[in-house]
Amino acid sequence: MEGCARERRDSSFGRVITYSPKVFIPLTQLCRDVCHYCTFAQSPSRLAAPYMTLDEVLAVAREGQAAGCTEALLTLGEKPELRYKAARVWLAENGYSSTVDYVTAACKAIVAETTLIPHVNAGTLSRAELAQLRPVMGSFGLMLESGSPALLARDGAHFGSPDKKPWRRLATLVRAGRLKIPTTTGLLLGIGEDRAQRISDLKNIARLHAKYGHIQEVIIQNFRAKSGTRMANWPDVSLSELLWTIAAARLILPTDISIQAPPNLSPDDLLLLADSGLNDWGGVSPVTPDHVNPEAPWPEIMRLSAVTEAAGKVLRARLPVYGQYLNDPCWLDDRIRPRCLEVTDSEGRVRSDQWRPGEPELGPPSVSKGPALLSQSREILAILDRRRRGEALEHSDVVRLFQTVDIDREAIYECANQLRSEQVGETVTFVVNRNINYTNVCKYSCAFCAFSKGLPKSEGRERPYDITGHELARRASEAWGLGATEVCLQGGIHPGYDGNTYRTIVEAVKAAEPELHVHAFSPLELHHGAETLGLGIEDYLRVLMKAGLDTVPGTAAEILDDRVRAKICPDKLSAGQWLETMAAAHRVGLRSTATIMFGHIDHAEHWATHLLAVRHLQLQTGGFTEFVPLPFVAREAPLYRRGHARPGPTREESRGMHAIARIVLGDVIRNIQASWTKLGPVEALHCLNLGVNDLGGCLMNESISRAAGAGHGQCWSPAAMESAILGVGRVPSQRTTLYGSPPEERKAQIQATPLQILPLEQPMAKIKAEKKRA
């Protein structure tokens, strides 16, 4: 049975075992229940005060925050005011109507004064009490313990404990489900129940989750006798019973529920526990003791990590609320969800680094290293070997690569680098180009975009602008004079533009500099132009080609998964429309790039869908010249500022995207590009060891990343780029847009003229006025 449980665990959670770094805040140790195994509950005479003060709560919380904790575990006795006058008096004197009222105040203080996320163990609660707590906690915990009514008999462990009646606890779990509160529950083994009862309890929990989807984890906790209690002479649960119940839980419960066993209650058996079917160690505190089991200290994180790795797993920190509840706003209040997203990665675990796309480096560049004791996964090695042999990967294969990139990074990066060497050699290419974003006025309101602005009556950080035809020509000629071979033209979807506008933009550039390569118009702009003229997309592309359009940027792809697009850009092209527009461009003879914008509300499944969709189209058309991962720059993005997105990918997720793009696409799209404006030059150069062979353009001007908050500059001169490439032991090579070699006179022009271009954003001037002057 344990073998089947391990296989089921591994198929769902891979090689990760999680824990929650927490502080334990025992808000009150008064309790109306008298469980016969408990040393947590005390009488008023044995306590200095009935409750911790808010200052004491915050002192512990701040200590935990300083130690890197993310969870504030508030544990307390149940409804002590119903038993103790001292509790009633303290609450009344301090302005609280009940213990739950005070727990709410404590959570509010923690949320207001720290970055911690409250997880509340407050016992059985009414619907109104749960609703009161929901806005200020990330998750709720209530151990079922046991559904056996026999435990309430005179000689039972729960005699005299009204809140341990199974129906009360199940009713509270139902209420939490109806209110969509992520909930932890569990069993306490060895207090008088038998295996049949445990199986019945696990099935009841599974039924609750099937109906409400709110059970995030189930704790399988072993009874340990404590001196000074009525059950001091009761035998501890055997290890075999504990392992059997963990395995049973893994086989009975749905695979999206985590199984946890407290490591401090079985300190000598951690290796066996890690191999039993659990995938979580629960909360572990570097600051506070386990006040419920004070005789059992938490294992040090380093020891827990070593034991986990010895079991062939890797330890990762998580939040008190699990990742599956973070992206859907119905599960968390707007006061809690943003602080969760701020510190999580795409798997919903605590971010492994503080790196942010677009942000300056805070120290020397990080070097990726795998876990010291952990061997590479045979599953991952098999996937990579199949790819080396040229076999196509399935969607599930690509998902697994993304999910394990922080664990099996060495194998993945080595494979990507090997494929890069075989496919394109040691040369690193770049193009000398200029970005011209001709308008930032846009009728769309994509949730990730900080570049677009409304019409002049709108207010914003940057004023709206619309560059005239004369200014377009001037910038094109200036770029040509500085040695550029390409201008990249993109802008917002201006409501005053039609298909003729885009044609006149191309004509203005070509009239000024006929030999300058025009790389212009996202699929969304192409659709807008075609629709306004009543043309099919292919007919409209031919109009633009006749005007001088040379290639098309494959931007506006974001994530080619309509579930994600419905949340971040619901009124833009669907994934299918984007792919069909690119296919149409390829059919009429236009080459294009392909992009992905990742690290916001997306995760591995979406990334795999995107890469395979691009691969499928490339196999049909062969029209993509390069693939460009674009990490989400969050600082000024509305989606992030509203608290609805992560702050971009982690560094390892970004590196993994570049490497896996090479692995999945490199045989059909030879060129994988690193966007230095988003990564920064140092990180972009590091990606050259992860499958990247192109650094994109010198740009001269860059507006879109800068508007989102990126601070890596607007221009990287060819001389500086060549020097940087040589510095990492690779061979620099200037290229054209289509990866040819530029004419020698263009290269000579670059050597003769340093690039020093300042942004030139003109006040709003309608292009139709320009047309009248023409």
Side-chain angles (χ1 to χ4, degrees), residues 208-228:
L208 283 176
H209 185 69
K211 187 169 185 178
Y212 301 110
H214 68 306
I215 304 297
Q216 59 177 5
E217 65 181 341
V218 170
I219 303 170
I220 306 300
Q221 181 172 332
N222 49 314
F223 168 81
R224 286 184 52 159
K226 298 175 176 63
S227 61

Side-chain angles (χ1 to χ4, degrees), residues 32-183:
R32 76 162 174 169
D33 295 323
V34 289
C35 301
H36 296 179
Y37 46 76
C38 180
T39 59
F40 177 77
Q42 301 292 325
S43 64
S45 62
R46 302 186 66 180
L47 297 174
Y51 295 83
M52 294 176 69
T53 67
L54 289 183
D55 285 342
E56 290 170 336
V57 168
L58 287 174
V60 175
R62 289 178 179 130
E63 187 180 2
Q65 178 178 307
C69 297
T70 53
E71 173 184 347
L73 170 63
L74 286 90
T75 292
L76 52 145
E78 295 202 32
K79 302 177 178 60
E81 65 270 33
L82 298 182
R83 181 179 180 187
Y84 293 113
K85 179 180 179 181
R88 294 191 295 273
V89 170
W90 190 96
L91 290 169
E93 288 178 347
N94 288 275
Y96 301 105
S97 60
S98 66
T99 296
V100 172
D101 195 25
Y102 185 50
V103 175
T104 304
C107 288
K108 286 180 179 178
I110 291 168
V111 171
E113 300 294 332
T114 76
T115 60
L116 300 185
I117 300 155
H119 173 81
V120 177
N121 291 345
T124 56
L125 300 175
S126 68
R127 187 186 190 284
E129 289 169 331
L130 282 167
Q132 179 181 340
L133 281 166
R134 186 184 186 278
V136 290
M137 67 179 180
S139 50
F140 171 69
L142 178 70
M143 292 286 284
L144 174 60
E145 296 195 2
S146 176
S148 172
L151 302 182
L152 295 163
R154 179 169 293 277
D155 58 347
H158 290 156
F159 178 70
S161 302
D163 298 299
K164 293 303 172 74
K165 292 178 179 178
W167 70 265
R168 288 185 184 272
R169 304 186 86 72
L170 288 169
T172 299
L173 293 175
V174 168
R175 293 172 191 134
R178 289 174 176 167
L179 288 170
K180 289 192 172 297
I181 299 172
T183 300

Side-chain angles (χ1 to χ4, degrees), residues 49 88-89 436 463 478 516 563 621 694 740:
R88 294 191 295 273
V89 170
I436 303 178
R463 68 186 187 279
E478 188 174 42
L516 194 58
R563 295 167 297 177
T621 69
D694 185 76

Side-chain angles (χ1 to χ4, degrees), residues 630-679:
L630 302 172
F632 174 55
V633 177
R635 179 180 289 273
E636 298 297 333
L639 188 70
Y640 172 72
R641 292 175 69 85
R642 294 173 191 147
H644 297 164
R646 305 189 303 277
T650 66
R651 188 196 299 271
E652 216 61 65
E653 288 170 341
S654 177
R655 291 176 175 179
M657 177 62 73
H658 290 82
I660 295 168
R662 169 62 66 186
I663 292 167
V664 175
L665 300 174
D667 60 332
V668 294
I669 303 178
R670 287 165 51 86
N671 303 298
I672 306 298
Q673 183 185 124
S675 173
W676 62 265
T677 60
K678 293 175 171 59
L679 297 171

Side-chain angles (χ1 to χ4, degrees), residues 343-357:
V343 296
T344 54
D345 61 17
S346 63
E347 294 295 308
R349 296 190 285 264
V350 176
R351 295 174 75 92
S352 59
D353 55 59
Q354 298 302 311
W355 183 79
R356 302 286 191 275

Side-chain angles (χ1 to χ4, degrees), residues 381-401:
L381 292 176
I383 292 172
L384 298 177
D385 285 344
R386 295 206 315 271
R387 197 68 193 100
R388 286 188 179 98
R389 295 194 300 267
E391 297 179 26
L393 299 183
E394 299 294 330
H395 186 271
S396 59
D397 296 329
V398 183
V399 171
R400 292 296 296 129
L401 290 178

Side-chain angles (χ1 to χ4, degrees), residues 437-477:
N437 302 117
Y438 41 80
T439 183
N440 64 352
V441 175
C442 188
K443 68 178 185 177
Y444 292 94
S445 299
C446 298
F448 58 83
C449 181
F451 172 73
S452 68
K453 300 292 178 283
L455 290 168
K457 63 183 179 180
S458 303
E459 294 186 7
R461 191 173 60 84
E462 295 184 11
R463 68 186 187 279
Y465 66 83
D466 184 359
I467 294 174
T468 66
H470 172 77
E471 176 64 13
L472 282 169
R474 189 197 70 77
R475 293 194 191 187
S477 293

